[in-house]
């Protein structure tokens, strides 16, 4: 009897897992013993880290998108219909077109998304670069900005925890290059009592922000935005005036996760080592979809995918799941338009940002170009 692996979500994690598993189980797939299906709500695969560059006009949409079918191994079946319900008791995924897919092993890879509606007034008053249309709108705002107060507000949780730092350093450089820096008053806010969730990164920011003329306001949890008065008020009672508010809205996981009762706010309770959904024997969770308190990043999804693929293959072949995720994450951090640093860490070893250099910046730009090898399971 053939075993069916169904992967819901064709982003970073879902696509890597499908391709690596297809490679690993080629002979079983050829013999009809295993099938791999990916369910995606859209035909495109979009490289989200490219939005940071699109914001400054340095990347065009067409450079950041590929056809998901073209990235997938021909042995993987692609279903271009959103999943609307997951019934874990019956081992079923229900698609919007009415098809019900039975699975033996399920991988939840539906990612996370900004939900500005969680803060009153944020959708109307804030500008963000975490989605294509919003990013293009903010790009236009920036291109026309001649000076004034910019406030950066941050909601938790959100994916790519270092992107707010990157955009701050890049804005500083960008306004300098345009001869406008002395006309721009820039304030970076953060919800907790330091500048970043990761302690060493917070120290790095505290040391470097003054050199970039970046003002800071910590313990700033957005409560409400008044788009008419152009003010943002925190739960702590501080009100900041802005001419332009850039925001990283708080995120939720996918609606289907919430609707199926699999996790609060769309994040699935996940075992930090096995990456199985807590209480389940045949559901794995990858990337942003987990509720793990680690960075929601493409690299996290990538490292987790390696573990999930090995365990699914082992389980199908020998009934074993011997591999464990060690919490590994790698993030480049742009520290301006020409330099970057990076952090690498895991459950036992905290990050330690290295001295920024042009070389690391070029590594990041190079990775942006060769990214496509990652979902294909080559890099
Ligand atoms: C501006 C920005 C900069 C970033 N920079 C970096 C960086 O430098 N380095 C880094 O490592 N990470 C970065 N990230 C984060 C990274 O993009 C995400 O963490 C990563 O994409 C998560 O992978 P994932 O597979 O969990 O989810 P995703 O890649 O988001 O994939 C989820 C997929 O599931 C689909 N889906 C959702 N619901 C359904 C449904 N009901 N049915 C079917 N399909 C569904 C979605 O459409 C999507 O295709 C950045 C993100 C942003 C926005």
């Amino acid at each position: 009897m053939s075993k069916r692996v169904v992967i819901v979500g064709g982003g970073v994690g879902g696509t890597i897992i499908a391709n690596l598993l297809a490679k690993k189980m080629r002979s079983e797939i050829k013999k009809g013993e295993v099938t791999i299906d990916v369910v995606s709500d859209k035909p495109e695969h979009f490289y989200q880290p490219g939005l940071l560059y699109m914001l400054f006009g340095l990347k065009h949409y067409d450079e950041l998108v590929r056809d998901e079918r073209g990235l997938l191994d021909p042995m993987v079946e692609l279903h271009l219909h959103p999943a609307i319900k997951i019934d874990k008791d019956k081992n079923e995924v229900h698609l919007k077109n009415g098809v019900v897919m039975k699975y033996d092993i399920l991988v939840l890879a539906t990612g996370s998304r900004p939900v500005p509606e969680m803060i009153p007034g944020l959708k109307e008053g804030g500008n963000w670069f975490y989605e294509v249309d919003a990013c293009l709108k903010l790009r236009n705002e920036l291109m026309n900005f001649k000076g004034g107060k910019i406030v950066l507000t941050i909601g938790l949780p959100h994916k790519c925890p270092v992107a707010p730092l990157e955009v701050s350093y890049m804005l500083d450089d960008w306004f300098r290059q345009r001869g406008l820096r002395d006309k721009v008053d820039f304030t970076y806010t953060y919800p907790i009592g330091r500048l970043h969730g990761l302690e060493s990164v917070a120290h790095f920011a505290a040391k470097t922000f003054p050199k970039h003329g970046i003002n800071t306001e910590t313990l700033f949890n957005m409560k409400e935005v008044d788009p008419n008065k152009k003010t943002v008020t925190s739960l702590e009672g501080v009100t900041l005036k802005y001419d332009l508010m850039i925001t990283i809205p708080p995120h939720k996981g996918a609606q289907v996760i919430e609707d199926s009762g699999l996790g609060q706010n769309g994040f699935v309770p996940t075992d930090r080592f096995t990456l199985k959904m807590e209480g389940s024997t045949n559901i794995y969770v990858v990337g942003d979809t987990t509720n793990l308190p680690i960075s929601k990043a493409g690299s996290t999804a990538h490292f987790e995918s390696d573990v999930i693929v090995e365990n699914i293959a082992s389980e199908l072949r020998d009934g074993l799941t011997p591999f464990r995720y060690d919490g590994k994450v790698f993030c480049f951090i742009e520290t301006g338009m020409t330099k970057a640093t990076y952090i690498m860490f895991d459950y036992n070893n905290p990050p330690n940002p290295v001295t920024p250099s042009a070389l690391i910046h070029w590594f990041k730009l190079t990775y942006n170009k060769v990214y496509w090898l990652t979902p294909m399971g080559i890099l």
Side-chain angles (χ1 to χ4, degrees), residues 125-141:
N127 296 275
W128 57 99
F129 56 96
Y130 268 49
E131 292 171 306
V132 174
D133 289 348
C135 180
L136 292 175
K137 178 173 171 277
L138 177 54
R139 187 186 72 181
N140 290 343
E141 296 277 351

Side-chain angles (χ1 to χ4, degrees), residues 8-15 39-42 44-52 79 81-84 109-112 129-131 159-160 162-163 166 251 254-257 286-289 295-301 329-332 364 368 371:
V8 184
V12 180
T15 310
V39 174
S40 178
D41 57 357
K42 52 183 185 313
E44 313 88 31
H45 183 112
F46 183 75
Y47 178 56
Q48 298 172 45
L51 289 166
L52 190 60
H79 305 259
H81 298 281
I84 53 165
T110 42
S112 65
F129 56 96
Y130 268 49
E131 292 171 306
K159 59 186 144 191
C160 195
V162 298
E166 295 186 283
H251 282 38
Q255 194 63 48
V256 66
I257 302 290
V286 68
D288 291 3
T289 313
S295 300
K296 293 195 182 301
S299 75
T300 311
V329 179
F330 177 96
C331 293
F332 287 111
K364 181 161 190 190
N368 288 342
Y371 161 74

Side-chain angles (χ1 to χ4, degrees), residues 117-165:
E117 294 83 356
M118 287 171 82
I119 313 281
L122 186 61
K123 192 169 176 199
E124 298 74 22
N127 296 275
W128 57 99
F129 56 96
Y130 268 49
E131 292 171 306
V132 174
D133 289 348
C135 180
L136 292 175
K137 178 173 171 277
L138 177 54
R139 187 186 72 181
N140 290 343
E141 296 277 351
L142 285 176
M143 296 294 164
N144 294 321
F145 196 77
K146 298 288 177 273
K149 273 184 188 305
I150 299 184
V151 174
L152 174 65
T153 56
I154 297 168
L156 295 176
H158 68 83
K159 59 186 144 191
C160 195
V162 298
L165 298 173

Side-chain angles (χ1 to χ4, degrees), residues 270-319:
T270 305
D271 183 282
R272 69 204 288 255
F273 297 115
T274 65
L275 301 174
K276 282 195 172 177
M277 178 178 167
E278 279 176 12
S280 168
T281 52
N282 64 343
I283 302 180
Y284 288 91
V285 195
V286 68
D288 291 3
T289 313
T290 76
N291 73 338
L292 295 176
I294 52 171
S295 300
K296 293 195 182 301
S299 75
T300 311
H302 186 173
F303 292 126
E304 290 174 344
S305 296
D306 292 339
V307 174
I308 291 174
V309 167
E310 292 299 341
N311 274 337
I312 292 177
S314 263
E315 196 167 341
L316 291 173
R317 287 172 174 162
D318 307 316

Side-chain angles (χ1 to χ4, degrees), residues 33-194:
E33 293 167 8
V34 172
T35 60
I36 304 173
D37 297 85
V38 169
V39 174
S40 178
D41 57 357
K42 52 183 185 313
E44 313 88 31
H45 183 112
F46 183 75
Y47 178 56
Q48 298 172 45
L51 289 166
L52 190 60
Y53 305 87
M54 188 193 255
L55 180 62
F56 296 100
L58 301 172
K59 283 277 181 200
H60 186 264
Y61 177 80
D62 288 350
E63 297 172 85
L64 303 175
V65 74
R66 293 263 175 109
D67 182 33
E68 174 68 5
R69 181 62 269 177
L71 293 174
L72 283 173
D73 189 293
M75 290 192 159
V76 175
E77 182 116 359
L78 176 63
H79 305 259
L80 288 176
H81 298 281
I84 53 165
K85 185 179 153 196
I86 291 155
D87 188 333
K88 70 174 172 44
D89 299 321
K90 292 188 180 159
N91 292 341
E92 287 173 356
V93 177
H94 296 235
L95 306 191
K96 199 172 176 193
N97 64 349
V99 167
V100 176
M101 299 172 72
K102 280 271 182 198
Y103 62 81
D104 295 286
I105 295 178
L106 177 68
V107 180
L108 297 174
T110 42
S112 65
R113 65 207 157 98
V115 185
E117 294 83 356
M118 287 171 82
I119 313 281
L122 186 61
K123 192 169 176 199
E124 298 74 22
N127 296 275
W128 57 99
F129 56 96
Y130 268 49
E131 292 171 306
V132 174
D133 289 348
C135 180
L136 292 175
K137 178 173 171 277
L138 177 54
R139 187 186 72 181
N140 290 343
E141 296 277 351
L142 285 176
M143 296 294 164
N144 294 321
F145 196 77
K146 298 288 177 273
K149 273 184 188 305
I150 299 184
V151 174
L152 174 65
T153 56
I154 297 168
L156 295 176
H158 68 83
K159 59 186 144 191
C160 195
V162 298
L165 298 173
E166 295 186 283
V167 79
S168 301
Y169 294 121
M170 288 169 84
L171 279 167
D172 170 49
D173 254 7
W174 191 74
F175 280 122
R176 271 178 219 281
Q177 287 169 2
R178 294 167 82 89
L180 287 171
R181 186 61 182 96
D182 54 353
K183 297 196 174 70
V184 177
D185 179 272
F186 181 72
T187 301
Y188 169 103
T189 71
Y190 204 72
I192 62 171
R194 59 182 191 231

Side-chain angles (χ1 to χ4, degrees), residues 47 53 330 332 334 340-342 357-370:
Y47 178 56
Y53 305 87
F330 177 96
F332 287 111
E334 294 283 19
T341 178
Y342 71 86
S357 72
L359 190 66
I360 301 170
H361 166 71
W362 283 104
F363 267 128
K364 181 161 190 190
L365 296 192
T366 304
Y367 183 75
N368 288 342
K369 291 194 180 197
V370 300

